[in-house]
Amino acid sequence: MPDTHSGDPDGGAVREPGAVPERGAGGELGAVGDRGVGDLVLAIDQGTSSTKCLLVDAAGAVVATGSAAVPIRYPRPGWVEQDAGEILDSVLAAASECLAGVDPGRVRSIGLSTQRESAVVWDKRTGEPAGPVLGWQDQRAQPICDALRDKGEASRVREISGLPLDPMFSAAKLRWLLDRTPGAAVGTVDAWLLFALTGRHRIESGNASRTQLLDVRAGAWSPELLDLFGIPASALPAITPSSGSLGVVGARGGVLDGLPITAVLGDSHAALYAHGTLASRGVKVTYGTGSSVMRLGATDDTGVCLTVAWNDCLAAEGNIRSSGATVAWLASVTGVTAARIAELAAESSSDGVVLVPAFGGLAAPYWDDNAVGLISGLTLGSGPGQLARAAVESIAHQVTDVIEAMTPKDTSPAADSSRAADSSSSGRSPRSGGFSRAADCLLADGGAAGNDTLMQIQADLTGLPVYRARTTNLSALGVAFLAGGFTPPIEYDEFHPQPGDFTAQRSAWRAAIARSRERGASI
């Protein structure tokens, strides 16, 4: 069983969520501008499959909840669509359920956490959607990326945006939409909701950094990237900080009418924010269908992305395409439940079996769309238990790959001193500051983090203690903390590395990854 702990896992003073280092101008906790006088914040967490609303008080307690499903459509292989109107309807329905029976005067402000990278197009005059929402998983814009790569622009796109050239990000999808709806307004889901609710065409800085159109170090739209992707500046929203007076909801917002929006964050960024001061020490992993691995500070490693965490604070992020999805896939092909796969994994050893879940290629730190999924190390003694264990281990191996890419190559005290002196002498802002040391803990959240076996494997492979948030819905809580200026502690389950040599496991994984990429290149 995991250890449990409340507050700082080191047993020190109670931490302050949001009191993270390297904030720049506008990044101070509670710098949220005008807001109501109530004691509650409404957190709206707009995700891929549903919208959840939490009403949160200053102690971090959830007073009320609401939720609404959001349909997803797959009209062709590789196409993933949603409807902007249905996304808005889900927000209003979830909010209505959450606020039912609550004195409106108690609600202080709104914090909005959203899915990222999905591309939305609408008519700015009528406010009506002008085309489908292209989901973050949508691959239809791959030819646009391929054309830019063939022209030799991939490295330049990476240099400016901090992101590898890939249709997961918004730019190519926005180009695809504008080709069919010229003159329309475009943005990500947060921009659409801000426009629909407040009438302002704005995008939060962290979400803007996921479009592949932002000069990530300057914090402004890049004219060069706009030209490369063919996106007119007039179609894009203005970039706004993550916190402040971001707009007041109008009559279209129904039960939200008159409430100020005081914080907006991408969902993964909001989860990182919820971990507070621990975020400065560790790396955060959100385990879901895929996984987001995020760490405060800049990086020049091309295997991970450079992104804006909030306001003007930079972060490194590695995106993993298949985490929980791997377990779901194995459950489907073996005719059992995902819970049964987790049980088999806990009871078994992989016995040399390695599963590489490159169902749609590999993302960070490889960014290899041609990699193929494979299972290696099978013997006549291999069975469902070995496959289940290998599936769960594949999640931990992928996360470990990203963490290794984020780890400074030289973490000696002398190197730390040199980096600190360089930063001080150059007067660099958080936009250019890098990692000063290796992470000393892993902060886990998300649905798949509930698997104790996975958490222990993760601790063993990384050599880091894993602190799993005992509180769910960290994306909603994180944006509530930022919107309300709250500083409540959260509790963790702890998993500490076990003695042992895991070199052979890591070597077998690396060999399987190499084979996956070689097979893909030969097809």
Side-chain angles (χ1 to χ4, degrees):
M1 293 295 290
D3 298 328
T4 60
H5 199 85
S6 176
D8 190 329
D10 283 344
V14 175
R15 65 185 189 83
E16 297 179 359
V20 296
E22 297 189 341
R23 275 200 217 80
E28 302 306 321
L29 180 65
V32 293
D34 297 332
R35 56 194 177 208
V37 295
D39 62 326
L40 303 175
V41 168
L42 178 66
I44 301 173
D45 183 18
Q46 202 301 295
T48 306
S49 59
S50 68
T51 297
K52 299 177 183 177
C53 285
L54 272 62
L55 202 56
V56 183
D57 68 16
V62 177
V63 175
T65 64
S67 65
V70 182
I72 305 175
R73 300 173 183 87
Y74 306 92
R76 299 184 191 177
W79 289 31
V80 183
E81 290 184 2
Q82 294 185 288
D83 182 276
E86 290 175 345
I87 288 175
L88 176 62
D89 290 344
S90 75
V91 167
L92 300 181
S96 295
E97 180 182 351
C98 185
L99 295 174
V102 176
D103 177 2
R106 294 190 63 193
V107 184
R108 181 180 185 175
S109 64
I110 295 171
L112 180 62
S113 166
T114 62
Q115 59 171 303
R116 308 175 300 166
E117 292 114 7
S118 297
V120 192
V121 60
W122 67 93
D123 188 313
K124 192 181 291 189
R125 296 168 300 171
T126 66
E128 294 301 314
V133 176
L134 307 192
W136 61 271
Q137 311 103 314
D138 191 278
Q139 295 290 307
R140 75 186 68 183
Q142 182 69 59
I144 296 174
C145 293
D146 291 342
L148 288 172
R149 186 173 289 106
D150 291 344
K151 293 178 181 178
E153 301 290 359
S155 61
R156 186 60 180 156
V157 170
R158 167 73 200 216
E159 181 181 351
I160 300 172
S161 72
L163 307 174
L165 184 58
D166 192 277
M168 182 181 82
F169 305 109
S170 313
K173 294 194 284 273
L174 294 175
R175 174 69 268 154
W176 190 94
L177 288 169
L178 284 171
D179 283 343
R180 290 150 182 83
T181 53
V186 294
T188 46
V189 169
D190 69 306
W192 157 245
L193 291 176
L194 283 172
F195 183 87
L197 293 173
T198 73
R200 294 183 173 185
H201 193 198
R202 293 185 167 189
I203 184 173
E204 180 266 334
S205 57
N207 279 285
S209 73
R210 307 299 293 179
T211 64
Q212 203 152 65
L213 298 172
L214 188 80
D215 183 329
V216 71
R217 292 176 178 82
W221 297 126
S222 165
E224 184 175 347
L225 292 177
L226 297 186
D227 182 61
L228 284 175
F229 284 98
I231 308 292
S234 59
L236 289 171
I239 300 168
T240 188
S242 308
S243 58
S245 299
L246 305 182
V248 177
V249 179
R252 190 178 184 183
V255 296
L256 304 178
D257 187 10
L259 286 174
I261 298 175
T262 57
V264 178
L265 290 170
D267 50 11
S268 185
H269 310 232
L272 178 65
Y273 191 89
H275 288 287
T277 53
L278 288 180
S280 66
R281 295 170 37 195
V283 56
K284 185 273 305 180
V285 184
T286 298
Y287 296 86
T289 302
S291 289
S292 165
V293 185
M294 188 177 286
R295 185 180 179 196
L296 289 176
T299 179
D300 292 323
D301 191 293
T302 57
V304 294
C305 302
L306 183 60
T307 193
V308 175
W310 45 77
N311 294 317
D312 62 358
C313 183
L314 286 181
E317 181 178 13
N319 301 99
I320 294 167
R321 288 176 177 158
S322 187
S323 294
T326 306
V327 174
W329 167 80
L330 184 59
S332 176
V333 298
T334 56
V336 300
T337 65
R340 180 55 182 156
I341 295 296
E343 291 173 358
L344 288 169
E347 299 165 357
S348 309
S349 167
S350 55
D351 292 332
V353 176
V354 179
L355 189 161
V356 178
F359 300 113
L362 291 168
Y366 305 103
W367 297 103
D368 187 344
D369 291 334
N370 294 319
V372 298
L374 60 79
I375 300 172
S376 63
L378 291 172
T379 69
L380 291 175
S382 302
Q386 284 68 40
L387 287 171
R389 183 76 177 200
V392 172
E393 287 178 350
S394 75
I395 302 172
H397 277 298
Q398 290 178 97
V399 170
T400 303
D401 289 346
V402 174
I403 291 175
E404 288 178 350
M406 291 179 173
T407 301
K409 302 304 181 281
D410 183 356
T411 58
S412 66
D416 283 351
S417 298
S418 174
R419 276 185 286 267
D422 177 60
S423 178
S424 176
S425 63
S426 64
R428 293 185 298 178
S429 74
R431 287 201 177 276
S432 56
F435 305 130
S436 62
R437 56 173 172 73
D440 60 11
C441 62
L442 187 152
L443 308 169
D445 60 76
N451 185 325
D452 286 359
T453 302
L454 171 60
M455 295 294 96
Q456 187 58 58
I457 295 170
Q458 193 71 82
D460 294 341
L461 293 183
T462 60
L464 296 173
V466 172
Y467 301 137
R468 179 180 64 193
R470 301 180 71 186
T471 305
T472 57
N473 298 312
L474 278 208
S475 293
L477 288 176
V479 80
F481 295 167
L482 181 59
F486 302 153
T487 59
I490 60 175
E491 296 183 338
Y492 295 91
D493 296 330
E494 298 181 26
F495 300 80
H496 294 271
Q498 298 173 330
D501 185 357
F502 301 95
T503 304
Q505 286 188 41
R506 291 293 291 157
S507 295
W509 169 258
R510 293 188 185 101
I513 286 287
R515 190 177 306 170
S516 165
R517 301 183 71 188
E518 289 167 0
R519 287 286 305 277
S522 66
I523 294 176

